[in-house]
Amino acid sequence: MNFDFNLILSSLPQIAAGLGITLKLMAYSTAIGLVLAVLILLMRISGRWYLTWPAMGYIYFLRGTPILVQIFIIYHGLPQLDFVRESVLWPVLREPFGCCVVALSLNSSAYISEILRGGVLGVDKGVNEAARALGLSAPQRFIYIVTPIAVRLALPAYSNEFISMMKATALASTVTLLDITGVARTIVSNTFAPFEIFIAAALIYLAMAWVFQVGFGKLEDYLGKYTKRGASA
Amino acid sequence: MTMRKWVLSAAFAAIGAIATATAQAETLRVGMECTYAPFNFRAPGGEMSGYDVDVAKGVAQLIGADLQYVCQQWDGMIPALLTNKFDLIVASMSITDERLQKMDFSVPYRVSIGRFLGPKGKDLKLFDDKGKPIQSSFKNLTVGVERASTYAKWIEAKLPGANIRLYDGAQAMLLDLRNGRVDVAITNPMKAYLEFLSTDQGAKFEFVSPAIDEREYFGTGVGIGIRKGQEDLVKRVNGALKTLIENGSLEKYGHKYFPFSISPENWKGVGVN
Protein backbone atom coordinates (compact mmCIF):
# COMPACT_ATOMS: atom_id res chain seq x y z
CA MET A 1 0.00 0.00 0.00
CA ASN A 2 0.99 3.60 -0.41
CA PHE A 3 1.52 5.36 2.84
CA ASP A 4 0.96 9.06 2.33
CA PHE A 5 2.80 10.84 5.10
CA ASN A 6 1.70 14.25 3.84
CA LEU A 7 -1.93 13.24 4.19
CA ILE A 8 -1.41 12.96 7.96
CA LEU A 9 -0.19 16.53 8.13
CA SER A 10 -2.71 17.96 5.70
CA SER A 11 -5.65 16.28 7.42
CA LEU A 12 -4.66 17.48 10.91
CA PRO A 13 -6.35 20.90 10.64
CA GLN A 14 -9.53 19.31 9.28
CA ILE A 15 -9.66 16.75 12.08
CA ALA A 16 -8.89 19.44 14.65
CA ALA A 17 -12.28 20.92 13.74
CA GLY A 18 -13.70 18.19 15.97
CA LEU A 19 -11.55 19.29 18.91
CA GLY A 20 -14.22 21.71 20.16
CA ILE A 21 -16.86 19.01 20.51
CA THR A 22 -14.42 16.63 22.18
CA LEU A 23 -13.32 19.24 24.73
CA LYS A 24 -16.88 20.36 25.40
CA LEU A 25 -17.95 16.74 25.96
CA MET A 26 -15.08 16.28 28.39
CA ALA A 27 -15.71 19.51 30.27
CA TYR A 28 -19.43 18.84 30.81
CA SER A 29 -19.01 15.13 31.56
CA THR A 30 -16.18 15.48 34.05
CA ALA A 31 -17.83 18.40 35.86
CA ILE A 32 -21.24 16.73 36.16
CA GLY A 33 -19.54 13.41 36.82
CA LEU A 34 -17.58 14.86 39.72
CA VAL A 35 -20.66 16.37 41.38
CA LEU A 36 -22.56 13.09 41.03
CA ALA A 37 -19.52 11.17 42.27
CA VAL A 38 -19.43 13.17 45.51
CA LEU A 39 -23.14 12.51 46.10
CA ILE A 40 -22.70 8.79 45.42
CA LEU A 41 -19.64 8.72 47.66
CA LEU A 42 -21.55 10.33 50.55
CA MET A 43 -24.33 7.77 50.11
CA ARG A 44 -21.83 4.93 49.86
CA ILE A 45 -19.97 5.80 53.08
CA SER A 46 -23.01 7.02 54.99
CA GLY A 47 -23.27 3.74 56.89
CA ARG A 48 -27.05 3.64 56.34
CA TRP A 49 -28.19 0.64 54.29
CA TYR A 50 -30.94 2.51 52.45
CA LEU A 51 -28.31 4.92 51.09
CA THR A 52 -25.42 2.50 50.74
CA TRP A 53 -27.29 -0.17 48.77
CA PRO A 54 -28.61 2.09 46.00
CA ALA A 55 -25.15 3.63 45.68
CA MET A 56 -23.57 0.18 45.38
CA GLY A 57 -26.15 -0.84 42.78
CA TYR A 58 -25.53 2.33 40.79
CA ILE A 59 -21.77 1.75 40.80
CA TYR A 60 -22.17 -1.92 39.95
CA PHE A 61 -24.40 -1.22 36.96
CA LEU A 62 -22.34 1.60 35.49
CA ARG A 63 -18.96 -0.05 36.03
CA GLY A 64 -20.20 -3.41 34.84
CA THR A 65 -21.51 -2.36 31.42
CA PRO A 66 -19.61 -0.93 28.44
CA ILE A 67 -19.93 2.83 27.90
CA LEU A 68 -20.93 2.16 24.30
CA VAL A 69 -23.89 0.10 25.50
CA GLN A 70 -24.82 2.85 27.94
CA ILE A 71 -24.70 5.44 25.14
CA PHE A 72 -26.87 3.23 22.92
CA ILE A 73 -29.41 2.63 25.71
CA ILE A 74 -29.69 6.35 26.32
CA TYR A 75 -29.53 7.47 22.67
CA HIS A 76 -31.50 4.76 20.87
CA GLY A 77 -33.40 3.16 23.73
CA LEU A 78 -34.94 5.95 25.80
CA PRO A 79 -36.76 7.70 22.90
CA GLN A 80 -38.73 4.49 22.37
CA LEU A 81 -40.69 5.44 25.48
CA ASP A 82 -43.32 8.03 24.70
CA PHE A 83 -43.17 9.66 28.12
CA VAL A 84 -39.45 10.34 27.63
CA ARG A 85 -40.19 12.23 24.43
CA GLU A 86 -42.84 14.27 26.20
CA SER A 87 -40.78 14.93 29.34
CA VAL A 88 -38.80 18.03 30.26
CA LEU A 89 -35.63 16.03 29.66
CA TRP A 90 -36.36 15.60 25.94
CA PRO A 91 -34.60 18.81 24.82
CA VAL A 92 -31.43 17.31 26.35
CA LEU A 93 -31.98 13.71 25.23
CA ARG A 94 -33.10 14.80 21.75
CA GLU A 95 -29.58 16.03 21.00
CA PRO A 96 -26.81 13.49 20.55
CA PHE A 97 -24.55 15.84 22.54
CA GLY A 98 -26.94 15.74 25.49
CA CYS A 99 -27.17 11.95 25.37
CA CYS A 100 -23.39 11.59 25.35
CA VAL A 101 -22.95 14.01 28.24
CA VAL A 102 -25.53 12.07 30.25
CA ALA A 103 -23.91 8.70 29.47
CA LEU A 104 -20.34 9.84 30.05
CA SER A 105 -21.24 11.73 33.26
CA LEU A 106 -23.05 8.75 34.75
CA ASN A 107 -20.27 6.39 33.80
CA SER A 108 -17.45 8.54 35.10
CA SER A 109 -19.36 9.35 38.31
CA ALA A 110 -19.37 5.65 39.20
CA TYR A 111 -15.63 5.33 38.71
CA ILE A 112 -14.79 8.65 40.35
CA SER A 113 -16.90 7.90 43.43
CA GLU A 114 -14.94 4.69 43.91
CA ILE A 115 -11.65 6.56 43.41
CA LEU A 116 -12.72 9.13 46.01
CA ARG A 117 -13.79 6.38 48.38
CA GLY A 118 -10.31 4.94 48.07
CA GLY A 119 -8.95 8.36 49.04
CA VAL A 120 -11.27 8.66 52.04
CA LEU A 121 -10.41 5.15 53.26
CA GLY A 122 -6.73 6.00 52.91
CA VAL A 123 -6.92 8.81 55.44
CA ASP A 124 -5.17 7.76 58.62
CA LYS A 125 -7.58 6.98 61.44
CA GLY A 126 -5.42 8.86 63.92
CA VAL A 127 -5.92 12.14 62.07
CA ASN A 128 -9.66 11.79 62.39
CA GLU A 129 -9.37 10.90 66.08
CA ALA A 130 -7.14 13.89 66.75
CA ALA A 131 -9.72 16.15 65.11
CA ARG A 132 -12.45 14.66 67.22
CA ALA A 133 -10.33 15.26 70.33
CA LEU A 134 -10.12 18.91 69.29
CA GLY A 135 -13.91 19.02 69.36
CA LEU A 136 -14.66 19.17 65.61
CA SER A 137 -18.09 17.87 64.58
CA ALA A 138 -18.46 15.04 62.06
CA PRO A 139 -19.27 17.33 59.09
CA GLN A 140 -16.39 19.64 60.07
CA ARG A 141 -14.00 16.71 60.30
CA PHE A 142 -15.11 15.46 56.86
CA ILE A 143 -14.81 18.87 55.15
CA TYR A 144 -11.70 20.29 56.79
CA ILE A 145 -9.65 17.24 57.75
CA VAL A 146 -10.58 14.19 55.67
CA THR A 147 -11.35 15.83 52.32
CA PRO A 148 -8.03 17.62 51.71
CA ILE A 149 -6.06 14.48 52.50
CA ALA A 150 -8.43 12.23 50.54
CA VAL A 151 -8.25 14.48 47.48
CA ARG A 152 -4.47 14.36 47.54
CA LEU A 153 -4.52 10.59 47.84
CA ALA A 154 -7.10 10.15 45.09
CA LEU A 155 -5.52 12.52 42.59
CA PRO A 156 -3.22 10.09 40.73
CA ALA A 157 -6.09 7.64 40.19
CA TYR A 158 -8.37 10.52 39.23
CA SER A 159 -5.97 11.75 36.54
CA ASN A 160 -6.05 8.24 35.13
CA GLU A 161 -9.86 8.34 34.99
CA PHE A 162 -9.75 11.82 33.44
CA ILE A 163 -7.64 10.60 30.53
CA SER A 164 -9.86 7.53 30.17
CA MET A 165 -12.78 9.92 29.85
CA MET A 166 -10.98 11.81 27.10
CA LYS A 167 -10.65 8.58 25.14
CA ALA A 168 -14.23 7.55 25.87
CA THR A 169 -15.52 10.69 24.14
CA ALA A 170 -14.55 9.02 20.86
CA LEU A 171 -17.62 6.80 21.29
CA ALA A 172 -19.76 9.88 20.66
CA SER A 173 -18.93 9.49 16.99
CA THR A 174 -21.21 6.44 16.91
CA VAL A 175 -24.25 8.64 17.53
CA THR A 176 -23.61 11.21 14.78
CA LEU A 177 -21.49 13.66 16.80
CA LEU A 178 -18.59 15.13 14.85
CA ASP A 179 -15.94 14.99 17.52
CA ILE A 180 -12.32 14.24 16.57
CA THR A 181 -13.12 10.62 15.78
CA GLY A 182 -16.38 11.52 14.04
CA VAL A 183 -14.62 13.98 11.74
CA ALA A 184 -11.85 11.43 11.10
CA ARG A 185 -14.37 8.73 10.18
CA THR A 186 -16.10 11.08 7.77
CA ILE A 187 -12.79 11.96 6.10
CA VAL A 188 -11.89 8.26 5.89
CA SER A 189 -15.10 7.40 4.12
CA ASN A 190 -14.32 10.06 1.55
CA THR A 191 -10.59 9.47 1.09
CA PHE A 192 -10.41 5.69 1.73
CA ALA A 193 -7.19 6.33 3.66
CA PRO A 194 -7.96 4.99 7.14
CA PHE A 195 -4.34 4.49 8.15
CA GLU A 196 -3.17 8.07 7.65
CA ILE A 197 -6.36 9.75 8.87
CA PHE A 198 -6.70 7.72 12.08
CA ILE A 199 -3.00 8.23 12.81
CA ALA A 200 -3.63 11.96 12.52
CA ALA A 201 -6.58 11.64 14.91
CA ALA A 202 -4.42 9.61 17.30
CA LEU A 203 -1.79 12.35 17.26
CA ILE A 204 -4.37 14.90 18.39
CA TYR A 205 -5.48 12.62 21.25
CA LEU A 206 -1.84 12.10 22.23
CA ALA A 207 -1.24 15.84 22.33
CA MET A 208 -4.28 16.32 24.56
CA ALA A 209 -3.23 13.45 26.81
CA TRP A 210 0.19 15.03 27.20
CA VAL A 211 -1.31 18.36 28.26
CA PHE A 212 -3.56 16.66 30.85
CA GLN A 213 -0.75 14.46 32.12
CA VAL A 214 1.56 17.42 32.67
CA GLY A 215 -1.27 19.44 34.20
CA PHE A 216 -2.14 16.73 36.72
CA GLY A 217 1.55 16.23 37.47
CA LYS A 218 1.84 19.91 38.36
CA LEU A 219 -1.32 19.73 40.48
CA GLU A 220 0.03 16.71 42.36
CA ASP A 221 3.28 18.54 43.04
CA TYR A 222 1.38 21.57 44.28
CA LEU A 223 -0.95 19.63 46.58
CA GLY A 224 1.84 17.43 47.83
CA LYS A 225 4.42 20.06 48.50
CA TYR A 226 4.14 19.65 52.30
CA THR A 227 4.32 15.90 52.23
CA LYS A 228 7.22 15.44 49.88
CA ARG A 229 10.10 13.55 51.38
CA GLY A 230 13.05 15.76 52.09
CA ALA A 231 11.00 18.91 51.62
CA SER A 232 11.88 21.58 54.11
CA ALA A 233 8.67 22.86 55.55
CA MET B 1 -37.67 -42.00 -56.76
CA THR B 2 -38.85 -39.52 -59.33
CA MET B 3 -37.37 -36.10 -59.56
CA ARG B 4 -40.58 -34.54 -58.48
CA LYS B 5 -40.86 -36.60 -55.31
CA TRP B 6 -37.30 -35.81 -54.46
CA VAL B 7 -37.86 -32.06 -54.69
CA LEU B 8 -40.97 -32.36 -52.55
CA SER B 9 -39.26 -34.32 -49.78
CA ALA B 10 -36.32 -31.93 -49.85
CA ALA B 11 -38.73 -29.06 -49.42
CA PHE B 12 -40.41 -30.82 -46.49
CA ALA B 13 -37.05 -31.49 -44.91
CA ALA B 14 -36.10 -27.85 -45.26
CA ILE B 15 -39.38 -26.72 -43.69
CA GLY B 16 -38.84 -29.25 -40.91
CA ALA B 17 -35.34 -27.89 -40.28
CA ILE B 18 -36.62 -24.34 -40.07
CA ALA B 19 -39.39 -25.42 -37.72
CA THR B 20 -36.93 -27.16 -35.38
CA ALA B 21 -34.69 -24.12 -35.45
CA THR B 22 -37.55 -21.92 -34.29
CA ALA B 23 -38.57 -24.39 -31.61
CA GLN B 24 -35.02 -24.52 -30.31
CA ALA B 25 -34.86 -20.74 -29.97
CA GLU B 26 -31.88 -19.06 -28.46
CA THR B 27 -31.70 -19.50 -24.70
CA LEU B 28 -30.54 -16.56 -22.59
CA ARG B 29 -29.03 -17.51 -19.27
CA VAL B 30 -29.65 -14.73 -16.78
CA GLY B 31 -27.57 -14.32 -13.62
CA MET B 32 -29.16 -12.91 -10.47
CA GLU B 33 -28.94 -13.42 -6.72
CA CYS B 34 -32.44 -14.90 -6.39
CA THR B 35 -32.54 -13.60 -2.81
CA TYR B 36 -32.84 -9.85 -3.32
CA ALA B 37 -36.49 -9.05 -2.75
CA PRO B 38 -38.36 -7.33 -4.25
CA PHE B 39 -36.03 -7.24 -7.25
CA ASN B 40 -35.13 -10.88 -7.74
CA PHE B 41 -36.30 -13.56 -5.36
CA ARG B 42 -38.23 -16.79 -5.13
CA ALA B 43 -41.89 -16.33 -4.30
CA PRO B 44 -43.33 -18.69 -1.66
CA GLY B 45 -44.46 -20.98 -4.49
CA GLY B 46 -40.85 -21.30 -5.69
CA GLU B 47 -41.15 -19.33 -8.93
CA MET B 48 -38.78 -16.48 -9.65
CA SER B 49 -40.31 -13.05 -9.16
CA GLY B 50 -39.39 -9.43 -8.74
CA TYR B 51 -38.72 -6.35 -10.78
CA ASP B 52 -35.46 -7.71 -12.27
CA VAL B 53 -37.24 -10.96 -13.19
CA ASP B 54 -40.07 -9.07 -14.89
CA VAL B 55 -37.55 -7.02 -16.85
CA ALA B 56 -35.65 -10.17 -17.88
CA LYS B 57 -38.89 -11.83 -18.98
CA GLY B 58 -39.96 -8.74 -20.92
CA VAL B 59 -36.63 -8.48 -22.72
CA ALA B 60 -36.46 -12.21 -23.50
CA GLN B 61 -39.96 -12.16 -24.93
CA LEU B 62 -39.21 -9.20 -27.19
CA ILE B 63 -36.00 -10.65 -28.59
CA GLY B 64 -37.59 -14.07 -28.92
CA ALA B 65 -35.34 -15.98 -26.55
CA ASP B 66 -36.00 -18.51 -23.82
CA LEU B 67 -35.00 -17.64 -20.29
CA GLN B 68 -32.94 -19.66 -17.89
CA TYR B 69 -32.23 -18.31 -14.40
CA VAL B 70 -28.83 -18.85 -12.83
CA CYS B 71 -28.61 -18.02 -9.13
CA GLN B 72 -25.26 -16.51 -8.26
CA GLN B 73 -23.91 -14.83 -5.13
CA TRP B 74 -23.26 -11.12 -5.49
CA ASP B 75 -19.49 -11.16 -5.07
CA GLY B 76 -19.04 -13.72 -7.84
CA MET B 77 -21.56 -12.15 -10.21
CA ILE B 78 -19.19 -10.40 -12.63
CA PRO B 79 -16.59 -13.22 -12.72
CA ALA B 80 -19.41 -15.67 -13.52
CA LEU B 81 -20.53 -13.47 -16.40
CA LEU B 82 -16.98 -13.19 -17.71
CA THR B 83 -16.42 -16.96 -17.56
CA ASN B 84 -19.64 -17.55 -19.54
CA LYS B 85 -21.71 -19.11 -16.78
CA PHE B 86 -24.55 -16.94 -18.02
CA ASP B 87 -25.16 -14.36 -20.74
CA LEU B 88 -26.79 -11.47 -18.91
CA ILE B 89 -26.70 -9.99 -15.43
CA VAL B 90 -30.14 -8.75 -14.45
CA ALA B 91 -29.50 -8.26 -10.76
CA SER B 92 -30.03 -4.60 -9.87
CA MET B 93 -26.42 -3.85 -10.76
CA SER B 94 -25.56 -0.16 -10.96
CA ILE B 95 -23.71 1.08 -14.03
CA THR B 96 -20.33 2.38 -12.88
CA ASP B 97 -17.17 3.40 -14.73
CA GLU B 98 -15.21 0.71 -12.92
CA ARG B 99 -17.58 -2.03 -14.09
CA LEU B 100 -17.75 -0.61 -17.61
CA GLN B 101 -14.05 -1.38 -18.00
CA LYS B 102 -14.74 -5.08 -17.60
CA MET B 103 -18.14 -5.44 -19.20
CA ASP B 104 -20.86 -3.70 -21.17
CA PHE B 105 -24.18 -2.46 -19.86
CA SER B 106 -27.53 -1.91 -21.49
CA VAL B 107 -29.34 1.40 -21.06
CA PRO B 108 -30.62 1.78 -17.48
CA TYR B 109 -33.84 -0.05 -16.65
CA ARG B 110 -34.05 1.40 -13.15
CA VAL B 111 -33.09 4.84 -11.94
CA SER B 112 -30.74 5.85 -9.13
CA ILE B 113 -32.50 8.50 -7.14
CA GLY B 114 -32.70 10.06 -3.72
CA ARG B 115 -35.73 11.42 -1.94
CA PHE B 116 -36.37 13.27 1.28
CA LEU B 117 -38.60 11.75 3.95
CA GLY B 118 -40.40 13.79 6.58
CA PRO B 119 -43.41 13.86 8.85
CA LYS B 120 -46.82 13.75 7.17
CA GLY B 121 -48.88 16.87 6.72
CA LYS B 122 -46.22 19.45 7.54
CA ASP B 123 -46.09 21.08 4.10
CA LEU B 124 -42.36 21.74 4.32
CA LYS B 125 -42.04 23.13 0.77
CA LEU B 126 -38.43 21.99 0.36
CA PHE B 127 -38.39 22.14 -3.44
CA ASP B 128 -39.73 24.62 -5.98
CA ASP B 129 -41.80 23.69 -9.02
CA LYS B 130 -38.69 23.07 -11.10
CA GLY B 131 -37.43 20.51 -8.61
CA LYS B 132 -34.71 22.76 -7.20
CA PRO B 133 -34.13 22.75 -3.43
CA ILE B 134 -35.21 25.94 -1.63
CA GLN B 135 -32.30 26.97 0.61
CA SER B 136 -34.38 28.95 3.09
CA SER B 137 -36.74 26.04 3.70
CA PHE B 138 -33.83 23.95 4.92
CA LYS B 139 -32.55 26.63 7.26
CA ASN B 140 -34.28 25.51 10.43
CA LEU B 141 -34.26 21.82 9.67
CA THR B 142 -31.94 19.09 10.83
CA VAL B 143 -31.23 16.82 7.88
CA GLY B 144 -30.25 13.17 8.30
CA VAL B 145 -27.98 11.58 5.71
CA GLU B 146 -25.74 8.53 5.47
CA ARG B 147 -22.03 9.24 5.86
CA ALA B 148 -20.12 9.59 2.56
CA SER B 149 -23.14 8.46 0.55
CA THR B 150 -24.11 9.91 -2.80
CA TYR B 151 -26.83 11.77 -0.92
CA ALA B 152 -24.25 13.38 1.41
CA LYS B 153 -22.26 14.60 -1.60
CA TRP B 154 -25.41 16.01 -3.17
CA ILE B 155 -26.31 17.91 0.03
CA GLU B 156 -22.80 19.29 0.43
CA ALA B 157 -22.97 20.63 -3.11
CA LYS B 158 -26.56 21.86 -3.21
CA LEU B 159 -27.29 22.83 0.39
CA PRO B 160 -23.95 23.98 1.78
CA GLY B 161 -25.45 25.62 4.89
CA ALA B 162 -27.71 22.75 5.87
CA ASN B 163 -27.61 21.44 9.41
CA ILE B 164 -26.74 17.83 8.67
CA ARG B 165 -26.37 14.73 10.86
CA LEU B 166 -24.22 11.93 9.49
CA TYR B 167 -25.32 8.34 10.07
CA ASP B 168 -23.50 5.06 9.54
CA GLY B 169 -26.60 3.37 8.22
CA ALA B 170 -30.14 4.01 7.10
CA GLN B 171 -31.64 2.08 10.03
CA ALA B 172 -30.29 4.40 12.72
CA MET B 173 -31.17 7.43 10.60
CA LEU B 174 -34.79 6.39 10.09
CA LEU B 175 -35.05 5.57 13.80
CA ASP B 176 -33.94 9.12 14.60
CA LEU B 177 -36.37 10.52 12.05
CA ARG B 178 -39.14 8.69 13.88
CA ASN B 179 -37.89 9.90 17.24
CA GLY B 180 -37.81 13.48 16.05
CA ARG B 181 -34.05 13.97 16.25
CA VAL B 182 -33.89 14.87 12.58
CA ASP B 183 -36.67 16.72 10.79
CA VAL B 184 -36.09 15.21 7.36
CA ALA B 185 -33.79 12.52 5.94
CA ILE B 186 -32.65 11.75 2.43
CA THR B 187 -32.08 8.21 1.20
CA ASN B 188 -32.91 5.63 -1.44
CA PRO B 189 -36.71 5.82 -1.80
CA MET B 190 -37.09 2.10 -2.55
CA LYS B 191 -35.27 1.10 0.61
CA ALA B 192 -37.06 3.78 2.61
CA TYR B 193 -40.42 2.52 1.36
CA LEU B 194 -39.71 -1.16 2.03
CA GLU B 195 -38.10 -0.80 5.42
CA PHE B 196 -39.84 2.24 6.82
CA LEU B 197 -42.78 3.89 5.08
CA SER B 198 -44.66 0.65 4.46
CA THR B 199 -44.25 -0.48 8.09
CA ASP B 200 -45.85 0.67 11.34
CA GLN B 201 -42.63 2.49 12.18
CA GLY B 202 -43.05 4.91 9.32
CA ALA B 203 -46.82 5.29 9.38
CA LYS B 204 -46.60 8.99 10.22
CA PHE B 205 -44.04 9.79 7.53
CA GLU B 206 -44.02 10.32 3.79
CA PHE B 207 -41.84 11.53 0.93
CA VAL B 208 -41.50 15.29 1.14
CA SER B 209 -39.55 15.92 -2.06
CA PRO B 210 -39.65 14.91 -5.68
CA ALA B 211 -37.16 12.30 -6.86
CA ILE B 212 -33.69 13.76 -7.23
CA ASP B 213 -31.69 12.10 -9.97
CA GLU B 214 -28.78 14.33 -10.97
CA ARG B 215 -26.46 11.88 -12.67
CA GLU B 216 -23.21 13.47 -11.58
CA TYR B 217 -24.16 12.53 -8.00
CA PHE B 218 -26.44 9.54 -8.25
CA GLY B 219 -25.00 7.71 -11.25
CA THR B 220 -26.67 6.44 -14.36
CA GLY B 221 -28.84 3.79 -12.78
CA VAL B 222 -29.19 0.05 -12.92
CA GLY B 223 -28.56 -1.78 -16.20
CA ILE B 224 -28.31 -5.25 -17.70
CA GLY B 225 -24.72 -6.52 -17.72
CA ILE B 226 -23.36 -8.13 -20.88
CA ARG B 227 -19.94 -9.60 -21.72
CA LYS B 228 -17.77 -7.38 -23.88
CA GLY B 229 -17.64 -7.99 -27.63
CA GLN B 230 -21.31 -8.74 -28.09
CA GLU B 231 -22.45 -5.50 -29.69
CA ASP B 232 -25.30 -7.30 -31.40
CA LEU B 233 -26.75 -8.59 -28.11
CA VAL B 234 -26.34 -5.17 -26.50
CA LYS B 235 -28.25 -3.64 -29.40
CA ARG B 236 -31.08 -6.16 -29.15
CA VAL B 237 -31.36 -5.80 -25.37
CA ASN B 238 -31.35 -2.01 -25.66
CA GLY B 239 -34.02 -2.18 -28.34
CA ALA B 240 -36.16 -4.37 -26.10
CA LEU B 241 -35.70 -2.07 -23.09
CA LYS B 242 -36.61 0.93 -25.24
CA THR B 243 -39.85 -0.77 -26.22
CA LEU B 244 -40.58 -1.72 -22.59
CA ILE B 245 -40.00 1.87 -21.49
CA GLU B 246 -42.09 3.33 -24.30
CA ASN B 247 -45.06 1.00 -23.94
CA GLY B 248 -45.17 1.55 -20.19
CA SER B 249 -44.24 -2.01 -19.23
CA LEU B 250 -41.33 -1.00 -16.98
CA GLU B 251 -43.58 1.48 -15.20
CA LYS B 252 -46.12 -1.29 -14.69
CA TYR B 253 -43.51 -3.76 -13.38
CA GLY B 254 -42.28 -1.19 -10.86
CA HIS B 255 -45.75 -0.43 -9.60
CA LYS B 256 -46.19 -4.07 -8.63
CA TYR B 257 -43.71 -3.47 -5.81
CA PHE B 258 -43.64 0.28 -5.20
CA PRO B 259 -46.32 2.97 -5.17
CA PHE B 260 -44.02 5.23 -7.19
CA SER B 261 -42.11 4.86 -10.41
CA ILE B 262 -38.61 3.42 -10.43
CA SER B 263 -37.99 3.22 -14.18
CA PRO B 264 -36.39 5.84 -16.44
CA GLU B 265 -38.44 8.39 -18.40
CA ASN B 266 -41.56 7.95 -16.33
CA TRP B 267 -40.61 8.74 -12.77
CA LYS B 268 -40.24 12.49 -13.39
CA GLY B 269 -44.00 12.90 -13.37
CA VAL B 270 -44.32 11.48 -9.86
CA GLY B 271 -43.45 14.55 -7.84
CA VAL B 272 -44.43 14.93 -4.21
CA ASN B 273 -47.03 12.46 -3.12
Side-chain angles (χ1 to χ4, degrees):
Chain A
M1 65 163 277
N2 303 317
F3 188 81
D4 186 355
F5 190 76
N6 285 324
L7 187 59
I8 297 181
L9 294 179
S10 61
S11 63
L12 273 176
Q14 266 178 290
I15 298 173
L19 193 60
I21 297 268
T22 296
L23 288 175
K24 244 167 62 182
L25 268 179
M26 280 193 76
Y28 280 96
S29 308
T30 48
I32 299 171
L34 191 57
V35 172
L36 283 175
V38 172
L39 291 176
I40 298 301
L41 167 75
L42 293 176
M43 286 168 70
R44 178 78 175 79
I45 61 173
S46 65
R48 297 183 178 93
W49 65 269
Y50 52 88
L51 292 177
T52 307
W53 288 8
M56 284 170 74
Y58 177 92
I59 292 166
Y60 173 67
F61 177 75
L62 288 165
R63 283 203 310 183
T65 51
I67 307 184
L68 186 61
V69 172
Q70 293 165 12
I71 290 178
F72 282 174
I73 288 175
I74 291 171
Y75 185 86
H76 294 301
L78 285 184
Q80 302 300 311
L81 308 167
D82 287 332
F83 70 84
V84 171
R85 279 186 284 161
E86 282 146 23
S87 73
V88 287
L89 284 175
W90 185 236
V92 173
L93 294 176
R94 183 182 193 270
E95 299 303 318
F97 184 81
C99 289
C100 287
V101 166
V102 170
L104 293 173
S105 305
L106 291 178
N107 187 275
S108 74
S109 70
Y111 279 94
I112 295 172
S113 81
E114 283 296 274
I115 288 169
L116 295 179
R117 192 169 72 96
V120 170
L121 294 180
V123 176
D124 189 41
K125 239 167 136 188
V127 178
N128 216 348
E129 280 165 5
R132 189 199 289 229
L134 287 172
L136 293 178
S137 69
Q140 281 175 325
R141 289 201 303 275
F142 188 76
I143 293 168
Y144 298 113
I145 309 297
V146 174
T147 299
I149 300 170
V151 164
R152 196 168 64 224
L153 292 173
L155 198 61
Y158 179 74
S159 75
N160 210 358
E161 167 58 24
F162 194 85
I163 290 173
S164 287
M165 187 51 36
M166 175 196 84
K167 293 180 289 182
T169 58
L171 295 171
S173 70
T174 58
V175 289
T176 77
L177 273 188
L178 290 175
D179 68 323
I180 292 172
T181 307
V183 174
R185 286 175 64 192
T186 307
I187 300 176
V188 166
S189 50
N190 284 320
T191 59
F192 303 106
F195 206 13
E196 293 89 338
I197 302 298
F198 284 131
I199 286 176
L203 287 176
I204 296 178
Y205 283 111
L206 278 177
M208 282 165 64
W210 187 79
V211 169
F212 295 139
Q213 208 169 304
V214 170
F216 273 104
K218 289 245 160 31
L219 193 59
E220 271 175 47
D221 285 349
Y222 172 76
L223 291 177
K225 62 187 169 189
Y226 301 113
T227 55
K228 238 185 206 159
R229 271 170 206 276
S232 54
Chain B
M1 192 190 282
T2 61
M3 187 66 170
R4 198 172 155 156
K5 264 189 180 169
W6 186 84
V7 171
L8 211 62
S9 63
F12 274 126
I15 289 168
I18 291 167
T20 353
T22 336
Q24 287 179 338
E26 169 191 22
T27 299
L28 281 178
R29 294 162 302 161
V30 173
M32 50 179 66
E33 283 180 282
C34 309
T35 53
Y36 189 51
F39 299 107
N40 57 76
F41 63 101
R42 282 194 192 282
E47 71 278 12
M48 292 295 300
S49 4
Y51 182 72
D52 292 337
V53 174
D54 292 342
V55 170
K57 278 184 191 159
V59 168
Q61 202 187 10
L62 282 172
I63 66 179
D66 286 334
L67 260 188
Q68 189 193 329
Y69 301 108
V70 181
C71 295
Q72 170 66 47
Q73 281 197 336
W74 182 255
D75 52 8
M77 193 67 80
I78 295 175
L81 175 78
L82 299 182
T83 52
N84 201 9
K85 286 201 177 128
F86 40 76
D87 308 297
L88 302 174
I89 295 178
V90 191
S92 293
M93 186 174 275
S94 296
I95 304 168
T96 63
D97 288 339
E98 198 189 351
R99 287 178 183 147
L100 279 170
Q101 289 177 0
K102 286 185 231 157
M103 58 196 273
D104 288 334
F105 273 103
S106 70
V107 295
Y109 67 88
R110 205 180 88 206
V111 284
S112 291
I113 46 179
R115 262 182 113 172
F116 282 94
L117 295 143
K120 268 183 186 164
K122 267 230 172 146
D123 198 23
L124 293 165
K125 279 239 164 52
L126 301 177
F127 284 73
D128 62 21
D129 297 337
K130 287 175 194 152
K132 288 253 172 342
I134 303 169
Q135 301 276 345
S136 57
S137 302
F138 279 93
K139 231 174 205 163
N140 298 318
L141 296 179
T142 308
V143 182
V145 62
E146 287 148 275
R147 202 190 294 271
S149 61
T150 49
Y151 316 109
K153 296 203 170 87
W154 183 85
I155 286 186
E156 277 161 27
K158 302 284 170 176
L159 297 162
N163 179 15
I164 57 173
R165 288 261 165 89
L166 296 175
Y167 288 88
D168 293 325
Q171 285 293 349
M173 179 175 78
L174 295 174
L175 201 59
D176 269 5
L177 177 68
R178 201 185 69 125
N179 289 335
R181 284 209 179 99
V182 294
D183 300 303
V184 292
I186 183 174
T187 189
N188 175 338
M190 285 164 264
K191 207 171 166 178
Y193 173 74
L194 292 174
E195 292 173 6
F196 188 64
L197 292 181
S198 63
T199 68
D200 289 346
Q201 296 266 324
K204 290 179 186 158
F205 296 86
E206 62 182 355
F207 289 117
V208 294
S209 83
I212 311 162
D213 80 321
E214 283 149 281
R215 286 199 173 173
E216 45 177 320
Y217 299 101
F218 297 100
T220 323
V222 158
I224 295 179
I226 303 167
R227 255 189 316 282
K228 271 198 190 290
Q230 303 188 86
E231 278 73 24
D232 179 53
L233 185 58
V234 175
K235 233 177 256 167
R236 285 156 69 210
V237 169
N238 277 346
L241 284 177
K242 187 162 175 275
T243 309
L244 291 176
I245 289 171
E246 282 170 0
N247 69 16
S249 296
L250 282 195
E251 173 91 355
K252 211 171 64 201
Y253 300 157
H255 276 289
K256 281 208 242 164
Y257 309 100
F258 300 99
F260 47 87
S261 181
I262 59 173
S263 52
E265 309 305 326
N266 290 312
W267 63 267
K268 273 198 167 116
V270 176
V272 184
N273 59 19

